[in-house]
Amino acid sequence: MNPAQGERAALVFLVLAAPLPWLVDSGTLVHFGIMVFQAATLGQAWNILGGMGGQFSFGHAAFFGAGAYTTAILQLRFGVDAWSGFFAAILAGAVVALVIGLASFRFGLRGSYFALVTLAFAEVLRILANTLEITGAGVGLLLPLAPGLERLQFADRRGYYLLALFLCAASLLVARAVAGSRLGARLVAVRENEEAASALGVDPFAVKMRAILLSGAMAASVGAFYVQYFLYLDPHIAFGPQVSVEALLGPIVGGPGTVAGPLAGAFLLQLLGEASRALAGGATGANLVVYGIVLILIVRFLPGGLAGLARARAERAGAGS
Amino acid sequence: MTLLGVEHLCVRFGGLTALEDVCLAVDEGEIVAVIGPNGAGKTTLFAAISGFSRPTAGRIRFAGRDVTGLPPHRLCAMGLVRTFQVTRPFADLTVRENIAVGVHLRHRSPRRARALAEGVAERVRLADRLDQPAAALTVAGRKRLELARALATEPRLLLLDEVLAGLNPAEVAEMEPVVRDIRASGVTILLVEHVLQAVMRLSDRVLVLVGGRLAATGTPAEIVRDPAVIEAYLGEGADRLVTAESPRARGA
Amino acid sequence: MVDPSIVAASALHGLATGAVYALVALGLSLVYGVLHIVNFAHGSLLMLALYGVYFLHERLGLDPYLALPVLLPVAGLAGYALHRWVIAPAGGARDENVLLVTLGLALVLENLALVAFRSDTRTIETAYSFSMVALGPALLPLPKLVALLGSLVATLVLWAIVQKTDLGRAIRAVAREREAARLVGIDTRHAFALAFAIGTASSAVAACLLLPSYYVSPQVGHGFVLIAFTIVVLGGMGSFWGAFWGGLLIGVVESLGGLFLGESLGQIGIFAIFIAVLLFRPTGLLGRPL
Ligand SMILES: Nc1ncnc2c1ncn2[C@@H]1O[C@H](COP(=O)(O)OP(=O)(O)OP(=O)(O)O)[C@@H](O)[C@H]1O
Ligand SMILES: [Mg+2]
């Protein structure tokens, strides 16, 4: 499978998955689908910056949490409607991205340094959320249950399923548009060799800023979705390291820098997670043990992720024919 | 008309002076070569001109403007582009995608960029490798790719840092007309080269850099005859070598 | 106004915590200085060591300080093996890969602990847990004083190993000039793994010194790894004394910050330092590389 085929396969997968909850009556399936789409969208956000642009963030929770808290606070404390809250959340993600991006890329932070700074930013936000009153401090925020499309809440979980699927599809299309654009070409060039790119007229700072803004906004939309779905939020859920880890796992496993990779990775990981939880008798942490092992194995044996595997197979088949 | 002017350029790294009071000018349409022993400061000169390092002192003028301190991408947009002595391909990308990054400077559309990349690849004789990964290229291929990417930005001035180094004589012979064609298309060229025979055949003027200072300038013929140059750089017997290897002597 | 003796006591507490931080950070810094890798699993290894101390005490009644001779070789071997057979082979060329592998390791270790030991916070009680020592105007719990002095001794030993032994010389040679070291016949893979082993072993020492006045839980490493990163960055990646002074400084800042600003904001202070140093002086404020 080449990248273009992978993209098409991912889109077809989403189209086919859309009616599934109406064909198979299973709450487990619906929840599983929501988790996959959510992780895939978050992963796609990471992928644009980390996979295409090579800027490995270890703090995508900063954007996710900013989005989640923005809509939750606006709804709870300011009586803003959920839809406006949703768009405000996306904006908030972009603002946090602007701050982190300006701070790190202006000073030319790369590699491990960038990873550490993003991690620290997420931690600062977590501690702030844990301290401030407006965020409900350590207690967190609980949104009132009030189903209705205008409030972006659904009595039927399948509504969330479709919403998550829509977000996932949108993120895929955005990623595809980026990958096929001049920005995408320049992002990859910056990833491969920043100095060579700048010698060819690419402004690495501008390119990375665009990527992080897009990435932050996208990750924030997932945070906003999370709030609508679970109606509860606390500092650890929003800004904890597990969000940042989830953001990077999918694309790394699925194929960093490819459009279809985050979805493929998210699907596989959720599947493995469910299986390991079942095997370990529901013990918390069992899925993360498996994720850690998968991460190590992928980096060691399959640095291109699942997409790399598919590409290698296609090349072998092509060479054979 | 003077395209590039370097005035009293100094570059220091801590205590080490890599360039000391270097002045030079390159006219539009020229091919000018910079030669000098290892560590003379040739690459440092290119880095300073192309905005990769800030000069400790001195000015750079390009196309009538003072461009000292501008970042590389701005200079590239103005038409001043460099290649790297140690090639830096975008290893994960194909040759076409590599070149397209350069094309993108002046063309937004990716489809057009990929199409134009083909024309550029033909100019440097890389057309048959367009869809190979850059990582698979040989040394000669990588040198060509460096050249192609730079060319793709449609420059007015091309700084070539040892694009012939590491090539065998046949490959060098193949690259010479490529460089000449580029000049014929209206691009001014400043090149650093160790392959002296090629320098002699290609360039209109030669600058000799020794220990960070400009030791001599002149036509290739003058340079080869300059006893100071022979003493400082070419070493004993070098003039004989150059004459013997010159095209006429080989009957080419 | 805050009573000066409380401030003094708080600073002294901070110094004691800071000395342990310094020890943990020294392990991280050594690994960074030699291998140029950022080891995310460092905190998880400390966590494992803390569980080691805990169970040796609970099951075998072994005093935490006497657990050191047991844990030290175990931790060293584990560190060696982890680097040689897990981290090094997966690391490859990009330093991001090492980041990912050590992150994966951290995930595995931390969550294995979670599955095995649950998320309970555990402490141990010893005869001296609550003994206090008067130091000038301030009272310090005995375990804290031991941690302070023990960390200082361990730091000196570590310094002596790095500076004065053949092992240390080999490691430093590899840190500076990989190729050259290989050419003069140093087995670089072995040297790298040894550096990692020493880094892990210093965490084991920290664990023994820490537990009597601290606690252990699967997530305990988190806080440490971030603080240790801050210290390493503050002290200059790979700098020995930089990490040492950075550790003491952070310990005191944390303690006094907590006293004056409340615990959470005190922590934010640490991250603010972290981010500011990374942005403005990524080479660090205090030291030179080893
Ligand atoms: N970033 C740097 N920091 C410190 N010293 C440098 C740096 N770059 C170059 N130098 C030193 O400056 C001097 C000139 O180096 P430069 O690379 O310009 O030489 P060169 O003429 O291109 O040599 P070669 O023919 O080997 O390519 C050398 O002594 C080199 O060691
Ligand atoms: Mg050079």
Side-chain angles (χ1 to χ4, degrees):
Chain A
M1 223 189 302
N2 65 36
Q5 285 167 325
E7 287 165 25
R8 244 171 287 136
L11 285 170
V12 168
F13 174 84
L14 289 178
V15 170
L16 292 179
L20 210 58
W22 283 267
L23 302 174
V24 188
D25 185 25
S26 156
T28 318
L29 181 78
V30 171
H31 184 69
F32 179 79
I34 292 172
M35 292 295 106
V36 169
F37 300 141
Q38 199 180 277
T41 313
L42 186 61
Q44 193 65 269
W46 189 92
N47 189 39
I48 289 174
L49 182 64
M52 296 182 193
Q55 312 301 309
F56 274 35
S57 150
F58 273 44
H60 255 53
F63 312 127
F64 174 93
Y69 269 111
T70 298
T71 181
I73 289 172
L74 284 177
Q75 289 181 62
L76 271 177
R77 309 250 194 255
F78 299 96
V80 173
D81 69 291
W83 286 90
S84 310
F86 199 91
F87 291 109
I90 291 178
L91 204 66
V95 170
V96 172
L98 186 73
V99 173
I100 297 182
L102 279 178
S104 354
F105 298 143
R106 247 300 153 241
F107 292 93
L109 287 193
R110 301 184 197 178
S112 326
Y113 289 102
F114 177 68
L116 288 176
V117 156
T118 52
L119 177 74
F121 268 107
E123 272 303 286
V124 166
L125 289 176
R126 186 180 65 75
I127 298 169
L128 277 179
N130 220 345
T131 316
L132 299 179
E133 217 163 281
I134 195 167
T135 52
V139 183
L141 297 172
L142 193 63
L143 264 75
L145 177 72
L149 185 60
E150 71 282 6
R151 284 179 299 275
L152 213 54
Q153 288 188 26
F154 307 95
D156 185 343
R157 268 203 194 167
R158 289 178 291 191
Y160 289 111
Y161 180 92
L162 281 188
L163 182 59
L165 188 143
F166 171 78
L167 280 180
C168 181
S171 74
L172 214 121
L173 291 173
V174 169
R176 194 161 89 137
V178 171
S181 72
R182 175 164 76 172
L183 175 62
R186 290 179 159 177
L187 256 180
V188 174
V190 167
R191 173 189 76 198
E192 293 292 307
N193 192 316
E194 196 167 322
E195 292 204 312
S198 71
L200 299 176
V202 176
D203 178 356
F205 175 70
V207 165
K208 288 191 266 186
M209 279 311 289
R210 275 176 216 173
I212 199 172
L213 285 174
L214 210 55
S215 182
M218 199 180 271
S221 77
V222 184
F225 172 85
Y226 182 96
V227 169
Q228 297 306 124
Y229 184 48
F230 289 97
L231 298 177
Y232 175 70
L233 194 60
D234 71 21
H236 186 70
I237 290 173
F239 294 116
Q242 80 288 344
V243 181
S244 303
V245 169
E246 185 174 19
L248 66 82
L249 270 177
I252 295 287
V253 170
T258 65
V259 172
L263 179 59
F267 186 76
L268 179 77
L269 286 167
Q270 292 293 330
L271 216 57
L272 282 175
E274 287 304 318
S276 51
R277 233 179 267 144
L279 282 177
T284 31
N287 56 336
L288 289 168
V289 175
V290 174
Y291 291 176
I293 293 172
V294 170
L295 182 57
I296 295 170
L297 291 178
I298 289 272
V299 174
R300 168 91 161 88
F301 296 107
L302 209 59
L306 298 176
L309 189 69
R311 201 166 60 179
R313 286 189 57 149
E315 269 160 24
R316 231 173 299 137
S321 69
Chain B
M1 192 200 104
T2 307
L3 184 59
L4 174 76
V6 173
E7 299 163 6
H8 306 290
L9 186 73
C10 296
V11 174
R12 294 198 183 87
F13 299 108
L16 181 108
T17 300
L19 290 175
E20 179 73 37
D21 198 35
V22 172
C23 299
L24 63 91
V26 178
D27 287 340
E28 195 130 33
E30 271 191 301
I31 297 185
V32 177
V34 179
I35 62 173
N38 289 111
K42 306 179 294 291
T43 299
T44 306
L45 176 67
F46 273 21
I49 294 175
S50 57
F52 277 87
S53 72
R54 217 176 201 309
T56 314
R59 309 264 94 198
I60 317 276
R61 282 177 198 288
F62 178 67
R65 276 185 58 188
D66 186 339
V67 297
T68 322
L70 285 187
H73 62 92
R74 290 277 306 281
L75 288 168
C76 186
M78 292 171 64
L80 191 166
V81 66
R82 75 174 288 192
T83 65
F84 291 95
Q85 177 179 357
V86 180
T87 58
R88 301 183 181 191
F90 305 129
D92 251 16
L93 307 187
T94 62
V95 168
R96 185 194 300 274
E97 289 165 334
N98 264 272
I99 301 173
V101 173
V103 181
H104 267 309
L105 178 64
R106 317 235 181 251
H107 305 271
R108 179 175 267 282
S109 151
R111 189 171 311 150
R112 191 160 163 67
R114 283 192 294 271
L116 286 174
E118 264 180 56
V120 179
E122 266 158 33
R123 286 172 72 185
V124 303
R125 323 264 153 91
L126 255 184
D128 53 332
R129 303 248 183 279
L130 267 168
D131 293 303
Q132 284 187 3
L137 293 176
T138 58
V139 174
R142 284 163 171 242
K143 297 273 182 186
R144 280 164 206 236
L145 182 58
E146 278 288 325
L147 181 56
R149 290 193 312 195
L151 214 49
T153 64
E154 301 172 20
R156 292 178 68 185
L157 173 65
L158 193 52
L159 308 183
L160 302 179
D161 198 349
E162 303 203 10
V163 284
L164 303 181
L167 306 192
N168 64 38
E171 289 165 336
V172 171
E174 221 177 45
M175 280 297 263
E176 277 179 36
V178 170
V179 175
R180 265 194 213 100
D181 288 349
I182 293 171
R183 189 253 293 268
S185 74
V187 181
T188 310
I189 296 174
L190 180 62
L191 55 84
V192 163
E193 208 46 76
H194 277 302
V195 185
L196 284 182
Q197 307 92 300
V199 168
M200 300 305 149
R201 289 192 294 258
L202 278 173
S203 47
D204 304 319
R205 279 194 303 135
V206 180
L207 312 173
V208 185
L209 203 58
V210 180
R213 291 169 178 276
L214 224 43
T217 65
T219 63
E222 289 165 356
I223 289 298
V224 194
R225 262 182 255 113
D226 188 331
V229 173
I230 296 170
E231 175 71 30
Y233 171 52
L234 299 174
E236 274 175 61
D239 55 343
R240 247 180 302 129
L241 179 97
V242 171
T243 344
E245 289 279 314
S246 80
R248 222 162 309 133
R250 279 204 322 229
Chain C
M1 257 321 283
V2 184
D3 188 330
S5 74
I6 295 184
V7 176
S10 171
L12 206 55
H13 265 262
L15 217 53
T17 318
V20 181
Y21 284 166
L23 191 52
V24 176
L26 277 171
L28 198 66
S29 182
L30 180 71
V31 168
Y32 184 85
V34 177
L35 300 137
H36 302 289
I37 67 176
V38 172
N39 176 17
F40 260 103
H42 197 64
S44 315
L45 294 167
L46 175 69
M47 177 270 299
L48 283 188
L50 282 164
Y51 271 111
V53 182
Y54 175 84
F55 283 112
L56 285 174
H57 180 266
E58 292 298 293
R59 299 284 153 81
L60 304 178
L62 194 60
D63 184 89
Y65 301 130
L66 297 181
L68 186 62
V70 182
L71 273 182
L72 204 59
V74 175
L77 282 176
Y80 186 95
L82 271 181
H83 185 266
R84 186 92 192 235
W85 290 294
V86 180
I87 297 174
R94 287 181 72 104
D95 66 341
E96 282 89 350
N97 282 355
V98 178
L99 224 55
L100 290 175
V101 173
T102 58
L103 176 72
L105 255 178
L107 277 177
V108 171
L109 298 178
E110 213 170 89
N111 290 288
L112 273 180
L114 190 63
V115 171
F117 312 132
R118 316 228 166 270
S119 61
D120 313 342
T121 296
R122 299 162 193 246
T123 52
I124 57 170
E125 244 177 67
T126 55
Y128 46 80
S129 282
F130 299 103
S131 324
M132 300 295 264
V133 184
L135 283 173
L139 279 178
L140 198 66
L142 180 64
K144 284 245 165 198
L145 184 64
V146 176
L148 174 60
L149 299 177
S151 298
L152 295 181
V153 171
T155 300
L156 284 174
V157 171
L158 198 55
W159 183 79
I161 290 175
V162 172
Q163 292 298 326
K164 305 284 176 210
T165 64
D166 285 346
L167 169 65
R169 271 188 280 272
I171 287 176
R172 277 184 297 138
V174 174
R176 273 198 299 269
E177 290 282 347
R178 285 179 195 216
E179 280 314 311
R182 212 194 309 274
L183 288 179
V184 300
I186 296 175
D187 180 353
T188 53
R189 280 181 313 170
H190 183 61
F192 283 154
L194 278 176
F196 201 88
I198 295 175
T200 312
S202 48
S203 281
V205 179
C208 296
L209 294 169
L210 202 55
L211 196 63
S213 59
Y214 210 70
Y215 66 91
V216 57
S217 77
Q219 275 97 17
V220 70
H222 274 200
F224 276 96
V225 86
L226 280 169
I227 286 174
F229 276 137
T230 310
I231 293 166
V232 169
V233 164
L234 185 68
M237 290 271 202
S239 148
F240 190 93
W241 291 111
F244 175 72
W245 293 116
L248 294 186
L249 183 68
I250 290 288
V252 174
V253 165
E254 184 189 47
S255 184
L256 292 181
L259 183 65
F260 288 107
L261 302 172
E263 200 156 319
S264 329
L265 288 182
Q267 270 187 306
I268 288 192
I270 293 180
F271 288 115
I273 293 178
F274 183 50
I275 293 171
V277 173
L278 271 182
L279 296 184
F280 299 108
R281 273 299 294 276
T283 46
L285 294 177
L286 300 169
R288 277 175 295 115
L290 123 160

